[in-house]
Amino acid sequence: MNSHPSADLPSADLPSAHLRSADWYAGDDRNAYIHRAWMRRGLPEDALDASKPQIAIANTASDYTPCNMHLNEVADAVKQGVWAAGGVPYNLPVVSLGETQVKPTAMLWRNMAAMAMEEMFRANAIDGLVLLGGCDKTIPALLMAAASVDLPAIVVPGGPMLTGHFRGQALGCGTDVWRLSEEARAGTISEEQFLRSEQSMIRSKGHCNTMGTASTMAVVAEALGMTIPGFAGTPAPDSRLLSLSHDTGRLIVEMVAQDRKPSDILTRDAFLNAIVAVAAVGGSTNSVVHLLAIAGRVGVDLTLEDFDAAGAGVPVLANLQPSGRFLMDDLYRAGGVLALLEQVKDLLSPSPITVTGKPLVDYLDGHPVFDDTVIFPRSAPLMDDAGIAVLRGNLAPQGAIVKPAAATSHLLQHVGPAVVFESVEDMRARIDDPDLDVTADSVLVLRGCGPRGYPGMPEVGNMPLPRKLLEQGVRDMVRISDARMSGTAYGTVILHVAPEAAAGGPLGLVRTGDLIRVDVEGRSLHMEVSDEELRARRQTPAAKAAYAAPVRGWAKLYVDHVMQADTGADLDFLVGSSGAPVSRESH
Ligand code: FES
């Protein structure tokens, strides 16, 4: 079993330095009176003393975010830890996003969630933060917000669910939805069987049990140093999740005492460590936009090329869906994230510290692998060299990405004619048309799905294959888009093409029948169309037609300010940090 890492935690010494919350609670003036009086409500008499760290538990629990529904129980465990260490805990519900629930796409709201969180972290009497996340966008938004306000902070990853089964087979949530729906479309299982599997898909509390975006971002948080080492991947129903949550509550009080902030932890080397970790676990392509956005908040100069360079040569060791066979529960049983990272310890920088003040690599000794069919040995990895490949060319001047671990190897070098779809609706309307002129060698091109074009960059890059090809036994094709892809999806899917079509990128100029050349080894993505022809196409009315722009609300603000995928799709005015100071007071 996994060893419990909390024994290594330093003990808390209450701070002697000035606490931020004293700006609310200390003193005899009327404002301090007001701040204290309204907060008392049963707190111990000394709870608002100047020496008591005030800890906010940023809680993404919501009945509309099913993967995070259990986080109120987790928050209670954190509270106990905070009290035990001499701090004062507060539950702070924050914007939450249920990946499977919100329309038109959860990514439209990641930056809104991060902005709202940041503002509330700054506006309240908070000395330290415990960040409770789980479902895909929640940990990225929490980290972006915490980085911008730069208060001591720790992530509690809410944990994956247990494995469900259907007709004797383990179900990977997400991945098996895509697989079973394609099987039903191909006619190899019945529609009724497909629908019956729905009851078995979600077995317990927790987030998706594949190495999808939620699991990936938990690993990212740990590799960045933002969790107690050994926490990521702890299943949501496992009692150790609550134990580690208690420990996190204790540790945040100590972090406040030490004034150990995200800017001390989130160094460039920490981001490079996270890229290595994502590669070793065969993690989600979504980690690219999230890591770029988090890096932007702390002023770390991280580029797409860093993903290619730092991930190059990193073997995939986790035999987990969607790249492999097993699920997160199996990873934990096999030794967990620390056992896996120990295998690639030599590829990790020893310098970045974690929330405990000690480097991550200090925790990477003595974690045996108990099942090497789940965590492959370094000497015989699942895949030699995976990571994320960054492609450039006249189709993606600012870059596009592909995850070779999830692709079909012979399609990584491919030339084929484009079949172009103008939007996700156009694709859905025509993909199964028996008259669609498409073969297994065709390249499916989807545009209008980038940050501005959709808007919100939905996870539709893994387009379904045309039914007539499925019926012929085709199970993968080259697909190219300015969209993202679910971390639970797979296939030879080239994503995040930048600039997107709606931002004037050449993706908007591709026509059905154009030859597209994909060379993943050579890192290029090219359409066989002359520069002269592309210039002429750019002048056509269709190319100049604007994507319908939202006229009000968040969507307008988003479209007016969202950056392209190659820099993390954050809003341009949210890049960087404003820190925690608040200079004015209204009372
Ligand atoms: Fe929440 Fe997959 S839908 S983690």
Side-chain angles (χ1 to χ4, degrees), residues 67 99-100 135-136 207-208 214:
C67 306
E99 188 67 27
T100 52
C135 198
D136 293 18
H207 60 66
C208 289

Side-chain angles (χ1 to χ4, degrees), residues 225-250:
M226 291 298 293
T227 70
I228 289 180
F231 203 151
T234 304
D238 194 301
S239 59
R240 284 166 287 188
L241 187 96
L242 296 180
S243 173
L244 285 162
S245 299
H246 180 100
D247 293 341
T248 299
R250 300 177 79 109

Side-chain angles (χ1 to χ4, degrees), residues 221-428:
E222 179 148 329
L224 284 172
M226 291 298 293
T227 70
I228 289 180
F231 203 151
T234 304
D238 194 301
S239 59
R240 284 166 287 188
L241 187 96
L242 296 180
S243 173
L244 285 162
S245 299
H246 180 100
D247 293 341
T248 299
R250 300 177 79 109
L251 179 58
I252 189 62
V253 177
E254 195 264 342
M255 286 180 71
V256 170
Q258 301 293 327
D259 198 26
R260 190 178 305 128
K261 303 185 296 294
S263 55
D264 301 317
I265 297 167
L266 297 173
T267 60
R268 181 173 158 77
D269 278 350
F271 283 93
L272 298 181
N273 281 353
I275 292 170
V276 170
V278 170
V281 299
S284 164
T285 49
N286 285 323
S287 61
V288 177
V289 284
H290 297 325
L291 276 166
L292 288 167
I294 298 163
R297 298 300 186 99
V298 281
V300 164
D301 183 22
L302 195 71
T303 66
L304 272 185
E305 271 59 35
D306 288 319
F307 289 82
D308 213 330
V314 179
V316 180
L317 301 179
N319 186 11
L320 300 176
Q321 294 187 33
S323 305
R325 176 177 151 209
F326 291 100
L327 295 160
M328 289 301 289
D329 201 8
D330 300 304
L331 176 65
Y332 197 63
R333 168 179 60 79
V337 172
L338 289 185
L340 190 144
L341 292 181
E342 192 170 320
Q343 306 276 320
V344 291
K345 182 179 174 183
D346 59 306
L347 303 177
L348 297 168
S349 168
S351 61
I353 60 165
T354 68
V355 285
T356 67
K358 295 202 297 185
L360 177 67
V361 295
D362 283 13
Y363 295 89
L364 299 181
D365 283 311
H367 300 283
V369 171
F370 300 109
D371 184 345
D372 62 9
T373 66
V374 179
I375 301 175
F376 278 37
R378 180 79 175 271
S379 55
L382 179 69
M383 202 168 291
D384 280 329
D385 178 3
I388 281 163
V390 178
L391 312 182
R392 289 181 192 270
N394 71 350
L395 194 47
Q398 287 171 222
I401 63 166
V402 63
K403 180 179 170 185
T408 304
S409 53
H410 76 86
L411 290 174
L412 295 174
Q413 310 292 127
H414 183 78
V415 182
V419 177
V420 178
F421 301 101
E422 295 296 338
S423 65
V424 66
E425 291 77 16
D426 179 36
M427 181 271 293
R428 287 183 185 138

Side-chain angles (χ1 to χ4, degrees), residues 65-68 97-101 134-138 159-161 173-174 202 206-210 212-215 459 486 488:
T65 305
C67 306
N68 294 17
L97 297 167
E99 188 67 27
T100 52
Q101 305 305 308
C135 198
D136 293 18
K137 304 298 177 290
T138 51
M161 69 183 76
C173 37
I202 305 301
H207 60 66
C208 289
N209 59 4
T210 46
T213 305
S215 300
E459 294 183 333
S486 164
T488 61

